[in-house]
Amino acid sequence: MSKKRSRNLLTAKVSDTQISMISIINGVPDSVMIEPFDPKRDDISQTLSKLSSGTGVRLKELRICIPQKNVFYIDSIEVDPMTEEALLTNLPYEFHEYVGDVRIFDYEYDYSVKKENRTYTGAIESYEISAIAIEKRFLHDITNGAKKAHLRLTQVVPEAECFVNLIKDARENGRSKESVFCFAEVGTSSTNIIICSENGLIFSREIEMGIPTEYKPGHGMGFYGTDLRAELALEIERTVRKCETDNNSLNIQGIYLLGEGCLNKGFIDNVCDRMTDKKVRYISDLFDETVNDELCCRYAVLFCLGLAEEV
């Protein structure tokens, strides 16, 4: 997938309905496996073991992606200079309105520094950070499941972080010069809008509207009694405009499409024609020619996860 990476590993995405996994050999996606998964009923270790065996290759390194809806994210928090220990101690209280005071310690927290604010003398006055919260039980189940499946889990990251990997790779390898990227992951019942840069997530939103696999023009209307294609195009553009309005310096040049809904080419092409604000492309434009277009639409997040630097 990249000129400089030749890793051999497994990448997987865990959701409430299934686990999907791909094997990456010498940096190139090889086989794809999917298994139904119900976290309340199924043993994640058995599912991971079955998937890794089904790829047909003996790989032990595993990276896992968590869907964005399972992650609480705060884009910008200004904090006073303090030690890392003090910051991690105080960080949970920034999320109280999201997770509630009762469950505030049921989550793992992490952060990244976006900017240092300095006084005129050059001393650090404050930090601007972004932060995430992920349920401890969810992380514990994934970590223990990988261990029982005899897999070496090296990364567990939110979905948006996978797209950051792709942005860095595309810019580094000359496939894009954009600084801010908008990804529209079109599913069969919902569409996720993720806007990010090399520095991380800027904005995300789920639109409760997708493309049914068997949808044909005239075989169903949108929420407001109009053509579903027109409504989806309008909602995507409206979401992107709101993000630009809320972030005055943002310049989103185009929208990259991915997801199961993109496999309905006639429908998605019509949606693209209706979006006039931005140039619309498929996410495969950001990968090199080794990635199959159809597989890319379906499993782009897993391919992106394979692009991360070795840890």
Side-chain angles (χ1 to χ4, degrees):
M1 285 183 287
S2 169
K3 294 177 182 178
K4 57 182 266 186
R5 294 182 175 87
S6 59
R7 305 295 308 284
N8 297 327
L9 69 150
L10 299 167
T11 62
K13 181 177 179 179
V14 178
S15 75
D16 296 335
T17 58
Q18 67 178 30
I19 299 179
S20 49
M21 179 182 286
I22 65 170
S23 57
I24 296 175
I25 308 296
N26 294 325
V28 179
D30 187 56
S31 56
V32 180
M33 298 289 291
I34 301 174
E35 277 292 321
F37 176 71
D38 182 345
K40 296 179 181 178
R41 185 192 67 216
D42 299 327
D43 185 331
I44 189 171
S45 65
Q46 292 180 4
T47 307
L48 289 173
S49 182
K50 183 177 180 180
L51 284 166
S52 61
S53 299
T55 59
V57 289
R58 293 177 61 85
L59 298 174
K60 290 299 182 183
E61 182 183 351
L62 173 67
R63 298 174 180 176
I64 287 181
C65 162
I66 299 173
Q68 202 60 32
K69 67 178 183 179
N70 294 110
V71 179
F72 290 108
Y73 179 84
I74 300 179
D75 175 49
S76 181
I77 308 170
E78 189 169 346
V79 297
D80 295 330
M82 63 182 78
T83 65
E84 182 174 13
E85 182 181 1
L87 179 54
L88 289 173
T89 299
N90 287 289
L91 203 53
Y93 299 99
E94 298 289 345
F95 286 88
H96 70 91
E97 66 181 87
Y98 300 95
V99 302
D101 293 332
V102 176
R103 298 194 62 212
I104 201 167
F105 297 110
D106 293 343
Y107 287 78
E108 290 280 357
Y109 301 90
D110 201 1
Y111 71 94
S112 60
V113 177
K114 299 177 68 176
K115 188 172 77 172
E116 295 178 348
N117 299 316
R118 296 180 178 271
T119 65
Y120 70 94
T121 61
I124 296 177
E125 186 174 37
S126 65
Y127 293 102
E128 183 182 339
I129 67 170
S130 61
I132 63 170
I134 303 174
E135 194 174 12
K136 285 181 180 179
R137 186 175 61 179
F138 188 42
L139 281 176
H140 179 268
D141 289 347
I142 288 174
T143 304
N144 276 5
K147 187 175 181 179
K148 289 180 181 178
H150 305 291
L151 297 169
R152 183 168 59 89
L153 184 63
T154 57
Q155 289 187 21
V156 179
V157 299
E159 192 170 4
E161 190 65 30
C162 300
F163 291 116
V164 172
N165 297 337
L166 176 59
I167 291 170
K168 291 178 179 178
D169 187 75
R171 287 172 59 85
E172 189 177 302
N173 288 280
R175 291 189 289 275
S176 177
K177 295 181 179 179
E178 297 169 65
S179 56
V180 178
F181 291 72
C182 174
F183 300 97
E185 186 176 9
V186 185
T188 56
S189 60
S190 65
T191 298
N192 290 312
I193 305 296
I194 295 177
I195 298 173
C196 50
S197 70
E198 282 187 297
N199 297 322
L201 180 67
I202 297 171
F203 175 92
S204 69
R205 181 194 165 196
E206 182 178 58
I207 300 172
E208 294 182 355
M209 192 181 300
I211 302 176
T213 308
E214 301 301 323
Y215 181 91
K216 294 181 176 62
H219 286 193
M221 293 295 183
F223 293 149
Y224 309 108
T226 57
D227 191 306
L228 181 58
R229 296 167 298 181
E231 282 193 30
L232 182 57
L234 179 64
E235 284 299 316
I236 292 174
E237 288 194 319
R238 183 182 291 161
T239 300
V240 173
R241 282 198 298 270
K242 174 173 172 33
C243 181
E244 287 184 313
T245 301
D246 293 346
N247 298 268
N248 294 329
S249 60
L250 218 54
N251 177 25
I252 300 171
Q253 297 177 24
I255 298 170
Y256 290 93
L257 298 174
L258 66 148
E260 290 278 344
C262 294
L263 302 181
N264 190 332
K265 286 285 290 179
F267 186 106
I268 199 68
D269 286 344
N270 189 284
V271 172
C272 293
D273 290 341
R274 294 167 187 261
M275 290 193 287
T276 57
D277 283 2
K278 308 289 182 185
K279 184 176 180 180
V280 184
R281 289 162 285 189
Y282 288 98
I283 196 171
S284 53
D285 288 355
L286 295 175
F287 289 94
D288 63 28
E289 65 282 353
T290 62
V291 181
N292 175 279
D293 285 354
E294 181 177 325
L295 287 178
C296 192
C297 280
R298 279 184 161 172
Y299 307 111
V301 171
L302 296 181
F303 297 162
C304 295
L305 186 53
L307 293 170
E309 296 290 348
E310 185 175 358
V311 293

